[in-house]
Amino acid sequence: MPDAVRNLRVLMMVLGGMQALLGVALVTNSVAVATSIWGEGDASTPCCTTPDEDHAGMVVFAGLLVLAVSAWGVTTALKFPTRHRNLRVSAFAYGWTALPFSWAFFQVVPLLGFAWLVPAVLAIVRPNQPESRAWFNHRPL
């Protein structure tokens, strides 16, 4: 495996791992995240539920979507040794999908958002390098 493909594989696993952490944090802290987004409930709400608990389901759904995208990136990276042509396309599409997460991370910690932007752009560029194209097309380097 050439260095460009190996670096792309590691990059995708790191991106997938960070997304998995974000997804787990969203799922496990859904009420706290909903409270921070939609604000506190008022005294006029019914006795047993608060608006935060109503919105927590949307946060859990978003967390599960983030976990699914994370699994897609890690699974694609793990299949690189098979040299299937569609894996290069999947890696390229995953890079474009990972790009909006920089905005989500930027909302939490701006430095983390900028740190996420660079690997996301690299995940878009690396699959189109000549070494990567040759590797996935089964051509000698």
Side-chain angles (χ1 to χ4, degrees), residues 15-34 56 58-71 74 101 105 116:
L15 286 172
M18 288 177 64
Q19 283 177 332
L21 290 175
L22 176 67
V24 168
L26 287 174
V27 170
T28 57
N29 300 321
S30 59
V31 175
V33 172
M58 289 191 295
V59 175
V60 169
F61 180 72
L64 292 176
L65 283 177
V66 170
L67 286 172
V69 171
S70 168
V74 171
F101 285 95
F105 283 124
W116 181 267

Side-chain angles (χ1 to χ4, degrees), residues 10-92:
V10 170
L11 181 73
M12 288 179 64
M13 287 188 187
V14 169
L15 286 172
M18 288 177 64
Q19 283 177 332
L21 290 175
L22 176 67
V24 168
L26 287 174
V27 170
T28 57
N29 300 321
S30 59
V31 175
V33 172
T35 301
S36 68
I37 293 173
W38 286 283
E40 295 287 330
D42 58 357
S44 66
T45 58
C47 69
C48 300
T49 62
T50 63
D52 305 332
E53 292 173 356
D54 294 338
H55 294 296
M58 289 191 295
V59 175
V60 169
F61 180 72
L64 292 176
L65 283 177
V66 170
L67 286 172
V69 171
S70 168
W72 170 30
V74 171
T75 302
T76 299
L78 288 175
K79 288 186 169 191
F80 273 11
T82 64
R83 296 178 72 174
H84 197 274
R85 290 181 181 167
N86 290 337
L87 290 174
R88 188 181 68 83
V89 175
S90 179
F92 180 74

Side-chain angles (χ1 to χ4, degrees), residues 122-133:
L122 285 175
I124 295 170
V125 172
R126 295 267 172 130
N128 290 321
Q129 290 181 331
E131 299 89 11
S132 298
R133 286 179 183 263

